[in-house]
């Protein structure tokens, strides 16, 4: 926000040099992002007149001019193409200093002496036009100092105001801060207005919660024209372009005291009425920026009898704007709920100086007085008669009473400020303040909505008394080891294991678009939604981590990657009994070659189902008895992510009978939607909260056996419907202590097997830590396992 030092003096005689003023603002928490110096940056330049112009004897593009400065005539060599006899110009005498510390001296130019310089606006630092000299026109007396004609010099500060301090988005607001810090009084403002007209306008406010105060005042008989010089100087100093004496006054009051106002041409309001209501289906607004905005249903608008004429708190409409033909003005001063203005700005993608302030919270009690001040200034500049304001008022938010104590505030700051200094600092910013010993009672003024707790008061004390007065000392520490929750422990374990398997962790937003959900064959119905999303890409909370991983894979493959091995830890969301739910998940994706291109054989192995299944087995290792079921079976249940998996190539992992993870090939339709159909992606997702319920056993070191193991490969013929998990369970169910591992290495269905049968080949590994097993012992173990498989599963050894 731009602040004019001269304008600031209208509110406070701070008496500070420019550098000290900037330092004090920084101490109070307002960073100075830039400084612009306005006004004359030169000396020794006076008003002169060109009496004669002759051709230079030695240069075609130069002229020799005779300049009269009111005291003497001078010979000046000039190269400007527009110089001519009779012109009133800015003449830099010998000894004058121009911007950039350029000193004018007498010198010869191509053999002719030049006794000064005729200046352009650019050379004086007053504009960008350097194509010719500055022709000033008639009026100023010869010899008048040009700097005195430009008004006093000004320093314009670019002040960074934090979002919690909308009260400082004006010259009055910053003056209040400086007054509190310096202990000086603010200059009083004149809010009086002579109401000389009885004319009025009809007003209806349909939503008092969204607009607790609305005031409209008719000013009749105005003459719209150019603003007075003082007003144009003020606005131009902060970078605003003067428009006319009506609009400029509303902009002046906005930057002067911080209250947004709006002026309507009253004769353009259909039905002679104002209605504050919600927008209706199909309505639109041609705004002051000359663009037409479709208004979603339910936005707060200012309307006449027929249509919206302004988007409340954001911008007015062009069709009801003040023009040169306007003679009756309706001046609006209102307070709109910040959430309403923010919603309107987001829905229409329209922003303005007014909405910037309303969104953050304008003084709840300022609108009436600020509108009266603007009306008085308009009558002063444009004439006319102001009528009594028509108002609709409802209760507005009030600041709470805060009770604190001097020791409490010092404790929060780590300081030891005297009680009297703390009381003085708080009293300077309070609407109501009392002290009883060390006990303090404080209520903030209506413009300070950011003061609600003792912590806020401590910040005020620190700002005004100086953070540099707080001593540097270490607080006493009593460190305690942090305790991880079961989910955090499970997350760390999953992260370490998946990273060890060569997967890279990714971080995605928890929000998705409906388009991305549809591409993943997931429905947005029943999911938690964001009421006012910043973008349609972030409208719905994700029900699964897998769509984000698919987008990651698509992004990387489209940029030249030939493989992706990714995983993510995060939350998935849903709804239960109308309330949002969340659960911790871990998901992964693998596709492309397993090995780097430099090490790939002629037929490179690619990530497949077994790789993803192994990752899931690693996640659930030691959590309990692991079995598998197909999604859709009763034991597997139904998961939200099931539509992403291939219907015939997916499995659900069950630990002690409870489903904890799903693994399988990506559904072909989803693969096509994300441009992954050529790669063949395998995916998995596990419920971390269910894994956390079964903490892994504490890892213990076990010494490796010095003795060799014995392995036996067996192939069994059994019913095709039998799962491998049943085979392994039957083998381990023999309770053979020497059985160290059971490994499936082949499944065959086809020729030379009876109808409805399959062949399952397993490798059995036996061993002991204290000696080598004999062949007879191993044979006995094998015989026992064969018998168990035959008895439990009807399996027979394949001949």
């Amino acid at each position: 926000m731009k602040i004019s030092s001269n304008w600031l003096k209208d509110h406070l005689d701070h008496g500070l040099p420019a550098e000290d003023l900037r330092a004090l603002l920084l101490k109070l928490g307002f960073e100075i992002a830039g400084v612009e110096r306005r006004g004359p940056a030169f000396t020794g330049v006076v008003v002169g007149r060109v009496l004669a112009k002759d051709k230079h004897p030695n240069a075609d593009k130069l002229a020799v001019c005779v300049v009269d400065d009111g005291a003497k005539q001078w010979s000046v060599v000039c190269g400007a193409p527009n110089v001519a006899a009779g012109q009133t110009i800015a003449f830099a005498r010998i000894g004058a200093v121009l911007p950039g510390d350029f000193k004018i001296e007498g010198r010869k130019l191509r053999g002719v002496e030049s006794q000064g310089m005729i200046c352009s606006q650019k050379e004086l630092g007053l504009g960008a036009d350097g194509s010719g000299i500055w022709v000033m026109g008639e009026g100023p007396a010869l010899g008048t100092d040009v700097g005195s004609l430009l008004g006093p010099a000004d320093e314009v500060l670019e002040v960074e105001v934090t979002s919690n301090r909308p009260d400082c988005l004006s010259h009055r607001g910053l003056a209040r801060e400086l007054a509190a810090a310096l202990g000086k009084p603010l200059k009083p403002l004149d809010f009086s207005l002579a109401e000389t007209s009885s004319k009025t306008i009809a007003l209806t406010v349909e939503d008092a919660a969204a607009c607790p105060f609305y005031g409209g005042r008719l000013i009749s008989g105005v003459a719209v024209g150019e603003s007075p010089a003082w007003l144009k100087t003020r606005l131009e100093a902060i970078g605003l372009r003067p428009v006319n004496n009506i609009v400029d006054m509303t902009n002046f009051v906005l930057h002067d005291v911080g209250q947004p106002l709006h002026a309507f041409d009253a004769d353009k309001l259909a039905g002679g009425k104002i209605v504050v209501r919600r927008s209706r289906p199909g309505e639109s607004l041609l705004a002051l920026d000359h663009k037409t905005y479709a208004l979603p249903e339910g936005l707060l608008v200012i309307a006449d009898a027929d249509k919206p004429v302004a988007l409340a708190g954001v911008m007015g409409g062009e069709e009801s704007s003040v023009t040169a033909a306007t003679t009756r003005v309706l001046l609006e001063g209102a307070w709109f709920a910040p959430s309403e203005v923010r919603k309107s700005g987001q829905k229409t993608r329209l922003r303005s100086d007014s909405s910037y302030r309303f969104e953050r919270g304008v003084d709840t009690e300022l609108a009436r007085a600020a509108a009266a001040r603007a009306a008085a200034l308009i009558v002063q500049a444009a004439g006319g008669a102001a009528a009594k304001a028509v108002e609709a008022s409802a209760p507005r938010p009030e600041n709470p009473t805060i009770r604190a104590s001097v020791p409490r505030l010092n404790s929060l700051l780590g300081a030891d400020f005297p009680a009297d200094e703390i009381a003085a600092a708080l009293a300077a910013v309070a609407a109501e303040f009392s002290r009883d010993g060390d006990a303090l009672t404080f209520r903030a003024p209506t413009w300070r909505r950011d003061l609600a707790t003792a912590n806020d008061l401590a910040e005020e004390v620190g700002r005004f008394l100086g953070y540099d007065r707080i001593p540097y000392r270490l607080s006493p520490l009593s460190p305690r080891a942090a305790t991880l929750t079961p989910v955090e422990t499970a997350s760390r374990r999953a992260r370490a294991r998946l990273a060890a398997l060569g997967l890279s962790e990714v971080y995605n937003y928890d929000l998705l678009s409906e388009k991305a959900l549809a591409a993943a064959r997931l429905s947005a119905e029943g999911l938690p939604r964001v009421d006012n999303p910043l973008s349609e890409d972030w409208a719905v909370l994700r029900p699964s981590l897998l769509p984000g991983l698919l987008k990651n894979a698509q992004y990387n493959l489209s940029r030249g990657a030939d493989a992706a091995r990714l995983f993510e830890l995060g939350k998935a969301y849903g709804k239960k009994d109308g309330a949002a739910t969340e659960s911790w998940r871990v998901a992964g994706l693998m596709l492309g070659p397993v090995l780097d291109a430099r090490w790939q054989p002629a037929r490179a192995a690619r990530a497949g189902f077994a790789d993803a299944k192994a990752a899931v087995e690693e996640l659930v290792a030691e959590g309990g008895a692991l079995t598998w079921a197909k999604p859709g079976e009763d034991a597997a249940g139904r998961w939200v992510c099931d539509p992403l998996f291939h219907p015939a190539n997916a499995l659900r992992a069950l630990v002690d009978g409870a489903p904890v993870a799903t693994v399988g090939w990506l559904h072909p339709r989803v693969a096509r939607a994300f441009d992954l159909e050529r790669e063949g992606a395998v995916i998995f997702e596990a419920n971390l909260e269910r894994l956390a319920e079964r903490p892994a056993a504490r890892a213990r070191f076990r010494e490796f056996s010095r003795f060799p193991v014995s392995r036996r490969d067996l192939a069994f013929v059994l019913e095709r419907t039998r799962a491998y998990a049943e085979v392994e369970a039957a083998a381990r169910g023999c309770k053979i202590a020497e059985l160290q591992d059971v490994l499936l290495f082949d499944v065959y269905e086809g020729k030379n097997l009876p109808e409805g049968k399959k062949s399952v080949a397993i490798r059995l590994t036996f061993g002991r830590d204290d000696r080598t097993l004999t062949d007879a012992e191993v044979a006995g173990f094998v015989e026992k396992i064969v018998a168990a498989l035959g008895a439990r599963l009807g399996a027979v050894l394949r001949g």
Side-chain angles (χ1 to χ4, degrees):
M1 180 188 68
K2 289 188 175 182
I3 292 293
S4 162
S5 296
N6 290 343
W7 193 340
L8 197 62
K9 293 174 185 176
D10 291 348
H11 298 277
L12 176 70
D13 287 327
H14 53 75
L16 296 175
E19 290 186 1
D20 292 348
L21 174 62
R22 296 196 296 269
L24 180 55
L25 286 172
L26 182 60
K27 174 189 172 183
L28 294 175
F30 302 99
E31 184 177 352
I32 308 301
V35 179
E36 177 190 354
R37 291 174 177 84
R38 295 176 59 86
F42 53 84
T43 59
V45 181
V46 298
V47 177
R49 177 171 290 117
V50 180
L51 299 179
K53 171 189 174 184
D54 297 314
K55 188 176 182 302
H56 194 290
N58 302 318
D60 293 337
K61 294 186 178 180
L62 296 179
V64 180
C65 302
V66 178
V67 176
D68 182 5
D69 67 357
K72 186 177 179 180
Q73 294 182 2
W74 306 88
S75 175
V76 181
V77 177
C78 182
N82 65 328
V83 66
Q87 292 174 335
T88 301
I89 48 85
F91 174 56
R93 291 169 170 164
I94 294 175
V97 179
L98 303 189
D101 202 28
F102 179 67
K103 189 173 183 179
I104 302 300
E105 299 174 349
R107 65 179 62 182
K108 287 187 176 182
L109 296 175
R110 303 295 293 271
V112 177
E113 185 177 4
S114 182
Q115 299 171 320
M117 176 179 174
I118 303 176
C119 302
S120 68
Q121 287 183 304
K122 183 176 182 181
E123 288 164 335
L124 295 177
L126 301 178
D129 185 7
S131 61
I133 63 168
W134 179 18
V135 180
M136 301 179 65
E138 298 299 328
L142 299 183
T144 303
D145 184 84
V146 172
S148 67
L149 301 175
L150 301 175
D154 193 6
E155 185 175 80
V156 179
L157 307 178
E158 184 72 36
V159 182
E160 299 286 348
V161 180
T162 55
S163 59
N164 67 320
R165 294 302 307 274
D167 60 297
C168 291
L169 292 171
S170 68
H171 288 78
R172 185 74 173 181
L174 278 182
R176 272 196 301 258
E177 290 289 296
L178 293 170
L182 297 171
K184 293 187 175 183
L186 283 171
K187 294 181 179 179
L189 291 179
D190 184 8
F191 291 104
S192 62
L193 171 66
E195 297 170 344
T196 58
S197 171
S198 60
K199 296 180 180 179
T200 186
I201 192 168
L203 170 65
T204 303
V205 176
E206 295 183 357
D207 192 338
C211 178
F213 179 83
Y214 190 96
R217 186 188 303 273
L218 271 177
I219 307 175
S220 304
V222 299
V224 179
E226 188 175 351
S227 293
W230 70 265
L231 178 56
K232 291 195 289 185
T233 299
R234 286 285 184 258
L235 297 182
E236 287 172 347
I238 60 172
L240 295 183
R241 179 181 61 84
V243 179
N244 58 53
N245 50 7
I246 307 297
V247 175
D248 291 349
M249 284 301 179
T250 62
N251 286 333
F252 170 78
V253 171
L254 170 68
H255 291 275
D256 188 50
V257 299
Q259 173 65 46
L261 304 171
H262 185 66
F264 298 97
D265 185 327
D267 292 323
K268 297 177 182 178
L269 299 175
K273 63 188 300 186
I274 284 290
V275 181
V276 183
R277 60 171 174 83
R278 299 288 179 175
S279 57
R280 297 163 183 163
E283 288 187 325
S284 62
L285 175 70
L286 175 60
L288 288 172
D289 62 357
H290 313 299
K291 297 180 182 178
T292 299
Y293 295 88
L295 301 178
E297 183 179 2
L299 300 187
L300 191 67
V301 298
I302 312 300
D304 58 15
D306 298 335
K307 61 187 181 304
V309 293
L311 188 57
V314 181
M315 189 174 287
E318 185 174 301
E319 294 177 352
S320 60
S321 63
V322 173
T323 65
T326 298
T327 59
R328 293 200 313 144
V329 170
L330 176 68
L331 183 63
E332 169 195 279
W335 192 89
F336 302 110
S339 59
E340 293 293 337
V341 179
R342 190 178 305 115
K343 180 174 70 173
S344 296
Q346 289 176 343
K347 291 288 187 181
T348 58
R349 301 185 182 278
L350 181 59
R351 292 289 190 272
S352 65
D353 283 347
S354 294
S355 67
Y356 187 84
R357 288 159 174 79
F358 274 127
E359 286 178 357
R360 288 156 176 78
V362 175
D363 182 357
T364 55
E365 301 297 331
L366 181 60
R368 179 185 288 114
R373 175 170 165 78
L377 292 172
I378 288 173
V379 170
Q380 177 183 326
K388 183 178 178 62
V390 179
E391 296 178 350
S393 183
R396 294 179 282 288
E398 295 183 355
N399 286 326
T401 297
I402 307 171
R403 290 178 172 81
S405 67
V406 171
R408 172 61 175 159
L409 299 183
N410 273 325
S411 174
L412 288 169
L413 291 169
D416 192 21
F417 292 124
D420 290 343
E421 291 188 32
I422 290 177
L426 293 178
V429 296
E432 298 175 9
F433 179 78
S434 63
R435 176 187 172 194
D436 183 6
D438 282 346
L440 309 173
T441 303
F442 177 98
R443 192 168 71 84
T446 53
W447 56 82
R448 290 299 302 273
R449 301 289 298 162
D450 60 309
L451 300 181
T453 68
N455 294 19
D456 300 323
L457 298 188
E459 182 181 354
E460 292 299 290
V461 171
R463 287 194 313 119
F464 288 115
L465 300 188
Y467 286 111
D468 53 343
R469 293 178 57 189
I470 299 175
Y472 294 94
R473 58 173 177 245
L474 290 175
S475 299
L477 299 177
S478 54
R480 291 179 294 176
T483 302
L484 298 178
T485 66
V487 171
E488 290 173 333
T489 301
S491 297
R492 291 190 176 191
R493 186 165 60 242
R495 179 180 288 110
R497 291 185 174 183
L498 291 175
L501 292 174
L503 278 72
S504 299
E505 186 174 5
V506 302
Y507 294 87
N508 289 312
Y509 290 115
D510 288 9
L511 298 167
L512 290 172
S513 65
E514 292 192 31
K515 183 178 178 181
L517 286 172
R521 302 183 71 241
L522 298 176
S523 173
E525 186 176 353
L527 293 177
R529 308 179 69 89
V530 179
D531 285 340
N532 295 300
L534 294 175
S535 165
E536 291 303 320
D537 292 336
W538 302 330
V540 184
L541 284 167
R542 62 186 180 186
S544 167
L545 276 58
L546 289 171
L549 290 174
L550 294 174
K551 292 173 70 175
N552 298 142
Q554 180 186 35
Y555 182 90
N556 282 274
L557 264 63
S558 67
R559 284 158 179 78
D562 59 358
R565 297 171 71 83
L566 309 172
F567 77 94
E568 181 178 8
L569 294 156
K571 290 181 179 179
Y573 301 86
K575 269 191 175 181
K576 184 177 182 180
D577 299 329
T581 62
E582 57 184 41
S583 61
W584 282 95
R585 302 294 179 93
V586 55
L589 176 146
M590 302 179 187
L591 58 80
V594 174
L595 297 175
D596 188 274
R598 293 168 295 179
W599 301 102
Q600 290 177 15
R603 293 177 59 84
R606 306 181 76 81
F609 182 88
D611 298 293
K613 182 171 178 286
V616 172
E617 290 173 340
E618 186 66 25
L619 286 175
V620 303
E622 304 172 2
L626 174 64
T627 55
W628 298 89
K630 291 185 177 181
E633 294 180 358
D634 292 341
R638 184 184 179 279
W639 280 23
V640 173
C641 63
D642 285 350
L644 284 98
F645 291 87
H646 194 292
N649 290 287
L651 288 175
R652 187 96 76 225
L654 293 81
V655 175
D656 294 336
V660 296
T662 308
V663 59
W665 289 98
L666 181 64
H667 195 288
R669 292 182 185 173
V670 180
R672 282 193 295 273
F674 287 91
D675 299 323
L676 303 176
E677 69 271 17
R678 296 179 59 185
E679 300 300 328
V682 284
I683 55 175
F684 62 86
E685 183 166 281
N687 188 320
L688 269 178
E689 294 180 359
R690 292 185 181 177
L691 294 177
E693 295 170 357
R694 297 169 171 77
R698 187 183 182 91
R700 295 183 181 278
F701 174 74
R702 178 182 176 185
E703 186 178 358
F704 291 100
S705 175
R706 296 181 291 112
F707 301 97
V709 297
S710 297
R711 295 184 177 88
R712 297 292 185 269
D713 293 344
L714 305 175
F716 293 91
V717 177
L718 68 166
E719 296 293 332
R720 182 181 296 173
T721 57
R722 291 290 186 181
Y724 164 71
E726 296 179 90
V727 176
E728 183 172 340
R732 295 190 182 277
C734 295
K735 306 296 184 183
I736 300 172
E738 291 80 1
L739 179 61
Q740 295 183 348
D741 191 27
V742 182
L743 176 67
L744 173 69
F745 66 87
D746 184 57
V747 177
Y748 172 74
E749 298 179 16
K751 295 181 180 180
N752 302 323
L753 287 179
E755 184 70 24
K757 301 287 185 178
K758 67 179 177 182
S759 171
V760 175
I762 61 175
R763 173 169 293 174
L764 305 174
T765 303
F766 302 94
R768 290 178 62 103
D769 294 337
D770 56 350
R771 64 182 178 86
T772 302
L773 293 173
T774 65
D775 288 342
E777 288 175 315
V778 173
F781 298 151
V782 170
E783 184 177 344
K784 185 175 181 180
I785 291 173
V786 171
L789 264 66
R792 293 180 58 177
L793 307 177
V796 296
L797 281 173
R798 184 178 175 188

